[in-house]
Amino acid sequence: MHDRDAGRCVRCNSTNGLTIHHRVNRGMGSSREEWINQPHNLLLACTTCNSWFEDHPRESYSHGWKVRRPLLPGEMPVTYPGGVEYVLRPDGSRSRLHSAADYQAFLEHPPS
């Protein structure tokens, strides 16, 4: 995850005060889903942006920094600095969405 996100916050591109952010909340007492701590559910975020995600849920959900259940993290692209969108995979890799056609193909055949 650190390599995938280039050691930078996924929202502001900072290299300072980085934390691990769960896109789908773990919930009270953690979660039993095996994917909850897999790379496609985790982002690097600075402490400022990690708090911002909680304070600005609408924007956070629309950019994929947070994911609402019942969606799975691999079913929602993430916006990185500069507006570039990626699909995150459980193996820690990511695939860039270059066009509206890429996004449509992603929606029709999301990764498993």
Side-chain angles (χ1 to χ4, degrees):
M1 179 193 54
H2 191 273
D3 290 341
R4 180 199 67 208
D5 293 343
R8 297 182 171 277
C9 175
V10 298
R11 181 173 172 265
C12 74
N13 224 22
S14 174
T15 58
N16 299 316
L18 296 176
T19 63
I20 296 172
H21 169 73
H22 286 80
R23 298 173 67 205
V24 175
N25 290 335
R26 290 177 290 173
M28 298 289 285
S30 196
S31 177
R32 294 186 181 165
E33 291 96 345
E34 63 184 51
W35 51 262
I36 204 78
N37 289 314
Q38 290 180 349
H40 63 318
N41 192 45
L42 305 175
L43 300 173
L44 277 182
C46 68
T47 54
T48 300
C49 288
N50 203 0
S51 295
W52 188 94
F53 296 152
E54 301 306 320
D55 294 340
H56 299 86
R58 180 175 296 172
E59 296 93 337
S60 296
Y61 286 116
S62 71
H63 290 285
W65 299 317
K66 292 182 70 67
V67 176
R68 251 186 243 280
R69 294 174 193 264
L71 285 177
L72 296 173
E75 297 172 343
M76 181 69 186
V78 177
T79 305
Y80 277 76
V84 179
E85 289 189 313
Y86 290 92
V87 174
L88 305 184
R89 308 210 183 275
D91 66 3
S93 64
R94 67 183 186 182
S95 298
R96 184 173 179 176
L97 297 177
H98 292 280
S99 65
D102 286 348
Y103 186 68
Q104 187 60 39
F106 166 77
L107 291 175
E108 291 172 5
H109 306 286
S112 36

